[in-house]
Amino acid sequence: MKVRDSGMPEQSYWESLFDIEGVLDGLGIGLEIENAVEVGCGYGTFTLPVARRIRGTLHAFDIEPAMVEATAARAKAAGVGNLNLAVRDIVEDGFGIPAGSVDAVLLFNILHMEKPVAMLHAAATVLRPNGRVFAVHWRSDITTPRGPDLSIRPRPDQIAVWAVEAGFRPRSSRLLPPWHFGLVLDR
């Protein structure tokens, strides 16, 4: 199921909208993570930097074959080899990896989907005990140059409610300049 209002602009423009290292630093993504999952890898904007920061494998999925191909090409050119890339509809088919096998799930700019709690439940199934979900989304309290329609953008407090419903404990929420916020959710 393709997530509503989630088309990708041209790559260089897309990547100009993020302080990628600032986002990852702000969330605390680093070597304490062995294996992780990324839902919606897009161009690999966060995929390659995250893969370089973790100790194990990053399983990165996208529903669009062109996005997986673009990320694979970038990874090859950059010599990043700890990726497991696949075209996969997580909502319909699940993650396709063993339950309880990863330390972290990355849900970046995707929780405006029709069934965000179902996505969080799915994330819980692949997380190890004490695993974390790192959620990032476009702010809705300021004008942003991109992002889904304001009517479907989740706010941090909404994501926190969904997280509790899915069995998580929201640990922290913070602004991730220039146009995003991030939450860390503990399992």
Side-chain angles (χ1 to χ4, degrees), residues 17-20 22-23 26 139 142 174-182:
L17 301 173
F18 303 96
D19 173 358
I20 297 164
V23 167
R139 292 175 60 184
I142 61 171
R174 67 181 318 160
L175 294 179
L176 299 169
W179 296 293
H180 292 82
F181 65 86

Side-chain angles (χ1 to χ4, degrees), residues 19-36 45-58 80 82-83 106 108 134:
D19 173 358
I20 297 164
E21 295 300 323
V23 167
L24 300 180
D25 289 344
L27 293 171
I29 294 174
L31 288 174
E32 74 283 353
I33 298 171
E34 183 173 355
N35 299 312
T45 303
F46 288 97
T47 311
L48 276 62
V50 168
R52 289 183 182 114
R53 285 178 174 232
I54 68 172
R55 295 187 326 263
T57 300
L58 176 60
V80 176
N82 61 331
L83 292 174
L106 312 176
F108 290 6
F134 296 96

Side-chain angles (χ1 to χ4, degrees), residues 109-137:
N109 297 312
I110 198 164
L111 286 175
H112 59 282
M113 64 191 319
E114 290 85 350
K115 297 180 181 180
V117 176
M119 176 59 77
L120 289 166
H121 277 292
T125 66
V126 296
L127 282 172
R128 292 182 176 128
N130 301 313
R132 294 186 178 133
V133 166
F134 296 96
V136 172
H137 218 290

Side-chain angles (χ1 to χ4, degrees), residues 103-107 111 119-120 123-124 127 131-135 168 183-187:
D103 300 306
V105 175
L106 312 176
L107 301 176
L111 286 175
M119 176 59 77
L120 289 166
L127 282 172
R132 294 186 178 133
V133 166
F134 296 96
F168 289 95
L183 284 92
V184 178
L185 312 172
D186 291 327
R187 180 164 184 254

